[in-house]
Amino acid sequence: MIPVEYAVAVDRYLAGAPLAEGSRRVYRIALRTWAWLLVGRTPPTGPERRRAAPPVLPLAALDGSDAPRRVAGAFAARAAEVGPRTANRELAALRSAARWWCARGWLAADPAAGVRPLPPVAPAPGPTEDRARAVLALRAPLREKVLWHLVRETGAPIGQLLALDVDRLDLANRQARTAAAGERPLRWRGGAARLLPLLVAGRTAGPLFLTDRRAPAGTPPADRCPLTGRGRLSYRRAAELFTAATAPLDPAGRGWTLHLLAEPRR
């Protein structure tokens, strides 16, 4: 019998496809992400990602003449959000599942067949030490300074840093537990160690990086501060603030991106 729901089709694919256990786990995350993308919603990040139930999606949404356009649009939006590497990995998972479903007659055609993976983005030239020091010496709000130091000192993905919660910090040992089980702690050095206690003073829970205003109604409790009601700082806003702050340092006057501060995790 053809499954009605996409989630059921995903479970059957993961149970029946010849995948290693590690691949099965990665594919499950990627295919759950597609459920959000195909209904035009942004997948949750951080701690909420594992707990959030994907939206109900009929398997028929991947069939029919309009399905390739929807998949292509969702892929383009996802790539703009997370970059080609992650988007390509998620596309490969969907293609593998769709071929398996087609072989069983659950889909008439693979809706992702015409979507081409994106070429990897060549890394931007790394900042010189002088440039990095100039950025970190800028006069800026405490929140931004802490984030910039963490980007520079941990080498962690920016989204992972923005997903940090106060109760995951171990200030004495200069490290933080991430939301992903089994991942090693994030570790930082002197700059972040000096500033972090000032940023979290009086707070014991909630997002580490907060917005400047109260979170809108309906914001999950995990994404707002229990003391102030302010929401979690978004990637987009953090990037905008960094670009604006670094515009005076950029000879072209456009400002730089947060990625220019990143360096391999030590």
Side-chain angles (χ1 to χ4, degrees):
M1 179 180 294
I2 299 177
V4 174
E5 292 188 13
Y6 170 81
V8 175
V10 166
D11 287 343
R12 293 190 185 176
Y13 161 69
L14 293 173
L19 296 171
E21 189 56 37
S23 297
R24 199 181 313 278
R25 183 170 59 254
V26 171
Y27 274 38
R28 181 179 299 279
I29 294 171
L31 292 170
R32 284 167 62 93
T33 297
W34 274 103
W36 298 89
L37 298 175
L38 289 171
V39 297
R41 295 170 60 185
T42 301
T45 58
E48 290 301 309
R49 183 174 185 178
R50 291 179 179 272
R51 295 193 292 265
V56 175
L57 177 71
L59 183 61
L62 275 72
D63 225 345
S65 59
D66 190 51
R69 181 190 64 80
R70 295 179 61 192
V71 170
F75 175 69
R78 183 64 170 166
E81 179 71 21
V82 300
R85 182 178 179 181
T86 297
N88 287 344
R89 183 173 64 245
E90 293 170 349
L91 177 64
L94 181 64
R95 281 179 160 173
S96 179
R99 287 194 297 267
W100 196 87
W101 295 332
C102 287
R104 282 148 186 79
W106 299 357
L107 296 178
D110 176 2
V115 182
R116 295 184 178 181
L118 294 171
V121 176
T128 63
E129 287 302 313
D130 287 344
R131 181 185 293 185
R133 282 194 292 267
V135 170
L136 296 177
L138 285 170
R139 295 178 63 87
L142 178 61
R143 178 189 62 189
E144 276 69 74
K145 296 281 281 189
V146 171
L147 177 60
W148 300 351
H149 275 280
L150 286 176
V151 172
R152 182 67 177 165
E153 296 173 18
T154 67
I158 296 163
Q160 190 176 54
L161 295 174
L162 292 170
L164 284 175
D165 293 326
V166 174
D167 60 1
R168 292 183 174 273
L169 304 180
D170 180 354
L171 298 180
N173 292 306
R174 298 186 179 185
Q175 65 180 23
R177 293 175 292 110
T178 66
E183 282 198 1
R184 61 178 180 174
L186 302 179
R187 301 182 186 277
W188 52 82
R189 302 194 294 275
R194 185 180 69 255
L195 297 172
L196 264 169
L198 302 176
L199 184 65
V200 303
R203 293 195 283 144
T204 59
L208 172 59
F209 296 106
L210 299 172
T211 59
D212 297 321
R213 61 186 65 183
R214 291 183 64 85
T219 300
D223 285 328
R224 64 173 183 263
C225 176
L227 292 177
T228 66
R230 290 155 60 193
R232 188 183 299 276
L233 182 66
S234 70
Y235 184 102
R236 176 179 295 181
R237 183 57 178 156
E240 290 173 347
L241 291 169
F242 184 83
T243 298
T246 56
L249 301 177
D250 180 8
R254 292 190 294 267
W256 300 324
T257 72
L258 272 166
H259 294 285
L260 290 177
L261 281 179
E263 66 180 21
R265 187 185 300 182
R266 295 179 184 271

